[in-house]
Amino acid sequence: MARYTGAVCRQCRRENQKLFLKGDRCYSDKCAMVRRSFPPGQHGQNQMRRKTSEYGLQLRAKQKAKRYYGVLESQFAKYFEMAERKTGITGENLLRILETRLDNVVYRAGFAMSRKEARQLVLHRHFKVNGQVVNIPSFLVKEGDKVSVKSVDSSKIKESAEKNSARPTPAWMSRDNEKMSVSIDKMPERDDIDFDIEEQLIVELYSK
């Protein structure tokens, strides 16, 4: 499957916001947003002074969400179609779908330092959902599901869990540190998603 393989720090700089794509590095002084907080490219600093059009704002909102969750264009469009078919507010439905991806749940639970690492761990069959091994990062969890580590002796996952122990667990899931598992207590609400994005701009973009 196609996947972005370029320098991920450029994505944060392009969106002018930390997207936490590189784990520990994003929290250190080596973070690209700390060292060069302007868009990449030859004319990056000049772009900061340009006025952004309405379409530009909508596009940046979509690109930011897409890059934050590590989703490619076709899959993001598919998620938007799913969100439209659901009852409720389309923008919130879209964010709820993105939040309940298995790779995001693994990251939110603290079992990986980044979503990219979480995706790799899922692909390598390190996690179970309701006792069954699932190796599909885009698998959508539901209320009542339990996501657990296949082998609690995995040094990589244990190291990440220890480093992230102080990181708060989202209100829509509960974490069992002893059993290295998380339970999905409810579907995430908009207030549970602390990502700074105007989802209404995404809806406007796709509604054109």
Side-chain angles (χ1 to χ4, degrees), residues 23-174:
D24 284 342
R25 188 185 181 94
C26 299
Y27 298 93
S28 72
D29 293 336
K30 293 182 180 180
C31 174
M33 283 300 298
V34 174
R35 298 164 63 190
R36 292 176 292 176
S37 57
F38 52 86
Q42 184 179 359
H43 305 291
Q45 289 174 306
N46 294 333
Q47 292 178 34
M48 297 288 289
R49 295 190 286 269
R50 292 179 185 172
K51 185 178 179 181
T52 307
S53 65
E54 181 183 353
Y55 172 77
L57 291 172
Q58 295 167 353
L59 180 63
R60 290 269 59 86
K62 187 261 291 182
Q63 292 292 85
K64 187 190 297 184
K66 188 165 68 77
R67 289 167 171 170
Y68 183 70
Y69 288 103
V71 178
L72 293 182
E73 188 65 44
S74 59
Q75 195 166 28
F76 194 87
K78 176 185 172 185
Y79 287 151
F80 184 81
E81 290 175 6
M82 289 173 59
E84 274 192 313
R85 291 196 296 267
K86 291 178 177 287
T87 57
I89 303 171
T90 300
E92 292 184 10
N93 289 340
L94 175 63
L95 293 183
R96 190 173 295 116
I97 291 169
L98 291 166
E99 275 288 303
T100 52
R101 280 173 54 102
L102 181 56
D103 56 357
N104 183 72
V105 170
V106 168
Y107 168 71
R108 290 287 198 194
F111 297 141
M113 298 304 297
S114 66
R115 287 180 181 82
K116 184 177 181 180
E117 184 180 292
R119 186 177 303 113
Q120 186 178 42
L121 290 171
V122 172
L123 285 169
H124 290 178
R125 304 173 64 86
H126 283 286
F127 290 92
K128 295 179 178 181
V129 177
N130 300 328
Q132 298 293 320
V133 174
V134 177
N135 64 342
I136 303 171
S138 60
F139 179 88
L140 299 179
V141 300
K142 304 183 294 295
E143 183 176 343
D145 283 351
K146 182 178 180 180
V147 179
S148 57
V149 178
K150 181 181 175 183
S151 173
V152 294
D153 295 325
S154 173
S155 57
K156 180 66 177 175
I157 299 174
K158 285 176 72 175
E159 181 185 347
S160 296
E162 287 171 7
K163 285 183 178 179
N164 294 321
S165 58
R167 196 169 75 190
T169 305
W172 51 280
M173 64 169 73
S174 54

